[in-house]
Amino acid sequence: MIDLSDVHRTFVDGSHELKVLQGVNWHIEDGDSIAVMGRSGTGKSTLLNLIGGLDRKYKGGIKVDGQSLEKMSDKELTRFRNEKIGLVFQSFHLMDQLTTEENVMLPTWFSQKPGEYHQRSCDLLQRVGLADKIGKYPNRLSGGEKQRIAIARALVMQPKILLCDEPTGNLDEQTSEEVLQLFKELHQEEGITLIMITHDHRIAAATQKTMVLKNGRLEQD
Ligand SMILES: Nc1ncnc2c1ncn2[C@@H]1O[C@H](COP(=O)(O)OP(=O)(O)OP(=O)(O)O)[C@@H](O)[C@H]1O
Ligand SMILES: [Mg+2]
């Protein structure tokens, strides 16, 4: 479960204040799959970064899996994020100097027992259809393959929540379809809560619900 109550985020640049989120209230049940749409610059990424614990400079309350993010220390939040939340971005954010399986294993290196996730990371690489890319480096992969690696990495710690910021934004139509199909299947298989920012109505149509961010507030479509 995720709960946002009266969340505000303002960016200050010198004497200029940009009020991006102006009282966002949102209740998300476990296992929901939700698309977030809205015009460029409305604050979709800002909102996702708050839920993902990447940005703490907000007012209001954010509860993820029963825990208030604002009550955690930075260290607690980092650990919480690594265990509970998977993140997927438009530009993949893979480490070029690590192999595909090292990229997938990366989040586990910050856990107590990385060894315990070795089998899962192999299974995930297989699951996303890239078992034959083990030992390869990301710069040798196509965009769709890179995103599959990023998805496997986001899932390796068995997070409860998967946050995706325009995950198909850099992919062609056909590859977007394939990645979307993968998201749909994984959402069901993993029983995960899926929140996906997108500009693509076909992708939004594949989720259970669509929310629109407008004038600093979130509305149901
Ligand atoms: N760190 C920052 N400092 C100052 N302003 C910022 C910062 N991050 C975002 N903004 C501003 O906040 C607004 C919302 O940005 P955000 O990236 O959340 O929009 P978005 O809805 O994700 O847009 P897009 O669809 O183009 O990705 C924009 O006007 C942006 O310039
Ligand atoms: Mg954005």
Side-chain angles (χ1 to χ4, degrees), residues 47 58 69 75 88 107 137 139 156 188 207:
L47 179 62
Y58 60 91
L69 301 192
K75 207 173 157 190
V88 176
Y137 288 85
N139 57 9
V156 72
Q188 285 176 356
T207 61

Side-chain angles (χ1 to χ4, degrees), residues 102-117:
E102 286 167 343
N103 267 283
V104 175
M105 283 289 282
L106 187 61
T108 73
W109 296 349
F110 306 97
S111 72
Q112 308 284 358
K113 295 176 179 152
E116 287 183 0
Y117 295 95

Side-chain angles (χ1 to χ4, degrees), residues 82-161:
N82 196 47
E83 285 174 4
K84 303 267 177 169
I85 299 168
L87 293 157
V88 176
F89 301 94
Q90 179 173 4
S91 49
F92 322 125
H93 292 194
L94 298 178
M95 307 275 275
D96 281 333
Q97 67 276 33
L98 300 179
T99 63
T100 53
E101 70 274 23
E102 286 167 343
N103 267 283
V104 175
M105 283 289 282
L106 187 61
T108 73
W109 296 349
F110 306 97
S111 72
Q112 308 284 358
K113 295 176 179 152
E116 287 183 0
Y117 295 95
H118 187 73
Q119 189 57 47
R120 176 157 168 89
S121 81
C122 292
D123 292 347
L124 277 167
L125 272 167
Q126 181 110 37
R127 179 64 194 80
V128 300
L130 292 178
D132 61 328
K133 301 296 180 194
I134 287 176
K136 300 268 193 304
Y137 288 85
N139 57 9
R140 296 287 180 87
L141 303 179
S142 70
E145 289 168 344
K146 283 182 189 169
Q147 199 56 304
R148 285 166 186 273
I149 297 290
I151 293 167
R153 180 184 57 188
L155 292 174
V156 72
M157 297 287 291
Q158 295 187 281
K160 297 197 72 166
I161 301 157

Side-chain angles (χ1 to χ4, degrees), residues 9 11-13 18 20 38-47 49 90 165-166 197 199 213:
R9 177 66 167 105
F11 293 108
V12 182
D13 180 14
L18 183 65
V20 177
R39 294 186 57 179
S40 182
T42 48
K44 302 180 296 298
S45 297
T46 301
L47 179 62
N49 289 342
Q90 179 173 4
D165 195 346
E166 298 187 48
I197 296 177
H199 286 284
L213 192 61

Side-chain angles (χ1 to χ4, degrees), residues 159-175:
K160 297 197 72 166
I161 301 157
L162 187 59
L163 302 177
C164 312
D165 195 346
E166 298 187 48
T168 61
N170 276 336
L171 306 177
D172 64 48
E173 207 170 305
Q174 166 85 28
T175 313

